[in-house]
Structure formats: C-alpha cells, structure tokens
C-alpha cells in the first residue's frame, strides 16, 4: 500500500488528480491510500511522516506549497514530493526541498503517470520503512531498520538505535504493532528485539550490539526458532 497525500486547493483539479490516481491503480496493479488536503497549513499542522508521496500545488491561500515542503523536510527527508503548479518560476526552488519533479497545469494523464512512475521507482530503490513515535513536544520519525531494540523503562519506552535512545510514550504491545515486522521478536514483557542485530543467545540472555538482554524462560524456544527462521530467510 502506497500512502499518498494530495494537497490542492482547487476542487476541480483535486477531483481530476484523484481520477488519475485511480486509473493508475487499475493499469499498474498498485494500491494507493490517498489523503486529500486543501491547503499547505492542513498537511503541516499535524504532519507525522506517514506518507510515501506528496503531490502538492504551490499557490494556495494560507500556506503555499513551497513553505509547506520546507516544514515537512524538517521532520521527513524521505517522502517523495512532486509539485503540480501553474507557476514555472518556482521550479528551481524545488531543488531546495529535494522535490523529485514538477508538472505544469493543466495536467494530462500521460504526464501525470510519468511522474508517478518516477516516484515509485525512487521509493523502491530506497526500500525503507518508517514509523512515527510520540516524543516530548512532538513525534520522531524512525527507520525501523535502525532500531536495535525497544525497552520498557519506568512505564515509558526507549527505542535504542546505534546512535541514540529515544524516550517515548506507550506500551510494548503498541510498539510491536506500530513496527509490524516479523524481524522483531518480543523476548519478554520488557524487550522487543531486532533479530538482525542479535549476535547470539547465551544461557538466558540475548547478546545484541554489546548489550545483554534477558529472555523469559517461556520465550526462549520461540526465540531460537524465530532466529533460525530469520537467518534462513535472509540467506536465501
């Protein structure tokens, strides 16, 4: 499922692009989840890094698309941004926010589909998955491949990466659901570990990135099975 934000204040254009996206789905076999916004201030108001692609008009009433893209880039440097505009003089400014492309209005389906092709190509080359975790004062976008393990500490969560530990709210069950990957194994009521970084299992502990993480007795056999399955899968 590809998550797309469509930011366009003109109702006619907005409807046209929705039709183009549905047509592209039928022709390509892709599946889109589309969220529409009518102004740049709407998408930036509670942006959480939840989109794979943003199709954005530039000239809008309250916040123009370029300003919105600048704010989005403060928290999300991976989302693919495509400007759809009747203002070619702003095209060069798009490079400052790492816009993938632009297309001038009025837009025909062929030009539109070409831009979607390019966007999907860039996304497939990245092959990353991100989650948004709540932190004090906002949210933090994390590449799940960079998470070593998640720890419960004093009724909060710590997302450990190689470079930092991010304090967050929530439960371990919520973190497991948010990550949603078989690459992660819940080895006790306090730890969710990324099998990619497990160096070994010794006694009742997991050896992971220099740390020893306790495994509950009831989970040890399941852990060994999950680790063997993961090793076999990545070795194929």
């Amino acid at each position: 499922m590809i998550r797309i934000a469509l930011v366009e204040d003109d109702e006619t254009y907005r409807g046209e692009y929705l039709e183009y996206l549905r047509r592209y789905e039928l022709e390509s076999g892709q599946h889109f989840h589309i969220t529409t916004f009518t102004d740049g201030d709407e998408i930036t108001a509670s942006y959480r890094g939840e989109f794979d692609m943003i199709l954005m008009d530039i000239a809008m009433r309250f916040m123009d698309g370029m300003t919105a893209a600048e704010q989005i880039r403060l928290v999300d440097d991976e989302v693919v941004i495509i400007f759809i505009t009747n203002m070619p003089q702003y095209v060069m400014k798009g490079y400052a926010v790492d816009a993938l492309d632009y297309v001038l209005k009025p837009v025909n389906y062929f030009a539109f589909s070409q831009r979607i092709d390019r966007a999907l190509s860039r996304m497939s080359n990245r092959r990353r998955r991100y989650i948004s975790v709540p932190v004090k004062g906002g949210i933090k976008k994390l590449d799940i491949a960079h998470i070593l393990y998640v720890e419960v500490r004093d009724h909060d969560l710590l997302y450990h990466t190689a470079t930092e530990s991010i304090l967050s709210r929530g439960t371990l069950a919520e973190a497991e659901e948010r990550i949603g990957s078989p690459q992660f194994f819940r080895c006790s009521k306090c730890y969710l570990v990324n099998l990619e970084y497990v160096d070994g299992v010794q006694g009742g502990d997991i050896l992971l990135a220099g740390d020893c993480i306790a495994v509950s007795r009831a989970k040890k056999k399941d852990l060994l099975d999950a680790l063997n399955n993961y090793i076999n899968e990545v070795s194929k």
Side-chain angles (χ1 to χ4, degrees):
M1 179 75 71
I2 307 298
R3 300 160 300 172
I4 298 177
L6 173 58
V7 190
E8 170 60 68
D9 61 347
D10 186 290
E11 184 177 358
T12 301
Y13 280 129
R14 195 165 58 247
E16 183 177 74
Y17 305 150
L18 285 170
E19 288 182 11
Y20 286 172
L21 288 168
R22 296 310 181 197
R23 177 177 169 183
Y24 190 96
E25 282 184 299
L26 291 173
E27 293 179 356
S28 67
Q30 295 283 352
H31 297 286
F32 298 147
H33 182 276
I34 305 164
T35 305
T36 60
F37 301 90
T38 60
D39 202 274
D41 66 342
E42 288 186 10
I43 188 171
T44 57
S46 58
Y47 188 81
R48 296 180 176 272
E50 65 267 44
F51 297 110
D52 301 300
M53 184 191 316
I54 300 175
L55 307 175
M56 183 127 63
D57 187 18
I58 290 182
M60 291 181 285
R61 182 179 179 187
F62 296 107
M63 181 183 290
D64 65 86
M66 198 64 65
T67 301
E70 289 171 353
Q71 293 196 14
I72 287 167
R73 282 291 182 236
L74 294 176
V75 295
D76 188 350
D77 60 2
E78 293 291 334
V79 64
V80 175
I81 297 176
I82 299 174
F83 288 119
I84 305 176
T85 181
N86 56 6
M87 306 175 71
Q89 65 269 30
Y90 284 96
V91 168
M92 294 304 296
K93 291 185 178 181
Y95 292 108
V97 291
D98 190 29
L100 172 69
D101 214 333
Y102 75 96
V103 57
L104 292 176
K105 298 178 179 179
V107 185
N108 61 52
Y109 176 72
F110 178 72
F112 185 91
S113 64
Q114 281 190 316
R115 270 61 177 193
I116 302 300
D117 284 343
R118 286 194 65 197
L120 294 178
S121 178
R122 175 179 283 192
M123 288 162 49
S124 66
N125 288 337
R126 286 175 174 167
R127 295 185 180 180
R128 292 181 177 178
R129 262 200 64 219
Y130 294 86
I131 59 170
S132 298
V133 298
V135 297
K136 186 176 181 180
I139 60 103
K140 175 79 172 180
K141 183 177 180 181
L142 288 178
D143 185 337
I144 66 168
H146 293 165
I147 300 171
L148 305 179
Y149 61 96
V150 186
E151 173 187 6
V152 175
R153 185 179 296 181
D154 297 330
H155 306 292
D156 289 318
L157 295 177
L158 276 176
Y159 288 81
H160 295 275
T161 73
T163 58
E164 61 180 336
S165 295
I166 298 102
L167 182 65
S168 179
R169 301 181 300 277
T171 66
L172 199 61
E174 289 170 343
E176 187 174 19
E177 182 178 359
R178 183 178 290 118
I179 292 171
S181 170
Q183 184 173 324
F184 285 76
F185 182 85
R186 188 170 177 178
C187 62
S188 71
K189 65 180 182 180
C190 293
Y191 291 100
L192 178 68
V193 300
N194 188 340
L195 297 173
E196 172 68 23
Y197 297 100
V198 173
D199 297 316
V201 180
Q202 185 173 350
D205 294 326
I206 292 173
L207 307 178
L208 188 156
D211 293 334
C212 288
I213 296 173
V215 182
S216 69
R217 187 173 300 176
K219 289 281 191 175
K220 186 172 180 180
K221 182 181 182 303
D222 290 339
L223 167 67
L224 294 174
D225 289 342
L227 187 57
N228 283 327
N229 289 339
Y230 177 73
I231 292 171
N232 291 335
E233 185 65 27
V234 298
S235 298
K236 288 180 180 178

